[in-house]
Amino acid sequence: MELRRPGAGRGTRTDGRYEPAEPRPPLPKVTGRSTRQFQRTIRLQEARRLLVSGSHTVTSVAHAVGYASASHFSRDYTDAYGEAPGRNTRH
C-alpha cells in the first residue's frame, strides 16, 4: 500500500508548489472584464457591504478593502454606485 502526502495528487507537485490540474482560461475571457476591473468590482462590493453594516467609517472601509487613499476610494465608489460612500453608512 502506497501512502500519499495529504493534498498530493491532482493539482499539486511533489515539491510543494501548486500546479493547476488543467489550464484555466484568462480571467478577462471568463468575466468579460480586465483583471484590474474585476478586482475593483470585488473590492467595491465588499466596501458596500461594510458600509451598510454601519459599524465602519468611510476611511476605515477604504483601507480595509485595499485603497491607500480614501479620496480615490470615494471616486471609484461614486463611479460604481452613483452615490458617495458616506450615503450608505448607518450613522
Side-chain angles (χ1 to χ4, degrees), residues 5 14 18 37 78 89:
R5 272 185 320 129
T14 57
Y18 180 76
Q37 289 169 329
T78 301
T89 59

Side-chain angles (χ1 to χ4, degrees), residues 8-76:
R10 234 179 95 141
T12 59
R13 294 170 41 153
T14 57
D15 62 5
R17 295 186 306 192
Y18 180 76
E19 182 177 293
E22 52 191 65
R24 291 190 169 71
L27 189 61
K29 189 172 186 175
V30 174
T31 65
R33 299 177 184 171
S34 72
T35 302
R36 179 170 282 174
Q37 289 169 329
F38 181 74
Q39 289 174 331
R40 178 179 174 242
T41 299
I42 298 301
R43 283 177 167 180
L44 292 173
Q45 287 172 348
E46 176 64 5
R48 188 168 206 160
R49 186 188 70 75
L50 291 170
L51 289 168
V52 169
S53 77
S55 57
H56 305 282
T57 66
V58 171
T59 301
S60 68
V61 168
H63 291 257
V65 298
Y67 281 83
S69 163
S71 62
H72 184 192
F73 165 73
S74 292
R75 270 194 310 274
D76 281 355

Side-chain angles (χ1 to χ4, degrees), residues 58 77 82-90:
V58 171
Y77 190 96
E83 59 187 2
R87 295 183 58 91
N88 283 294
T89 59
R90 284 191 192 175

